[in-house]
Amino acid sequence: QVHLVESGGGLVQAGGSLRLSCAASGISFSWYAMGWFRQAPGKEREFVSAISASGGTTFDADSVKGRFTISRDNAKNTVYLQMNSLKPEDTAVYYCAVGRTSSLLRNLNVDYWGQGTQVTVSS
């Protein structure tokens, strides 16, 4: 059974930083692409960032380019999202996801979802 456990969310002021982590179990982690998505109240879930199985390829949504960085540690079965220069519009529940490729994740083709972690950015 696949388990994805996100951590690192919280409340931060605009301009601040947070680092999300997602620990995976039940899958051969190094075989899969990993991604982050978010969902704000009243809005659809949207793609944020994705990283290939090897870590050599990443994709970022235009709204977070230059501010967010996705990375992974295959030895620890963990994917990270470093979020800098946070804005109030980044407030959302952030979800970790597993996919076959980073390109598929970018198109919301997800195999498994985590339970989500809340990120709140105050102005």
Side-chain angles (χ1 to χ4, degrees):
Q1 190 172 1
V2 179
H3 286 287
L4 302 174
V5 180
E6 299 99 332
S7 61
L11 174 64
V12 64
Q13 288 188 332
S17 298
L18 283 174
R19 188 194 196 202
L20 304 183
S21 299
C22 172
S25 61
I27 59 170
S28 297
F29 185 78
S30 63
W31 293 4
Y32 288 92
M34 298 295 296
W36 290 95
F37 295 76
R38 67 186 181 187
Q39 188 167 17
K43 295 188 177 181
E44 294 186 351
R45 193 170 298 188
E46 64 176 4
F47 168 77
V48 176
S49 295
I51 187 167
S52 64
S54 67
T57 301
T58 61
F59 294 108
D60 298 306
D62 289 343
S63 57
V64 306
K65 280 181 180 177
R67 300 188 299 121
F68 291 10
T69 302
I70 189 170
S71 62
R72 65 189 294 159
D73 185 338
N74 285 351
K76 295 183 178 180
N77 286 8
T78 301
V79 62
Y80 306 97
L81 186 68
Q82 178 67 44
M83 305 186 295
N84 299 328
S85 302
L86 282 161
K87 305 175 181 179
E89 51 264 43
D90 294 318
T91 295
V93 177
Y94 282 72
Y95 296 90
C96 175
V98 178
R100 298 301 176 96
T101 70
S102 50
S103 293
L104 287 172
L105 281 172
R106 187 172 57 170
N107 291 294
L108 276 72
N109 284 297
V110 173
D111 289 341
Y112 303 103
W113 291 100
Q115 84 287 352
T117 186
Q118 176 70 46
V119 171
T120 303
V121 185
S122 63
S123 57

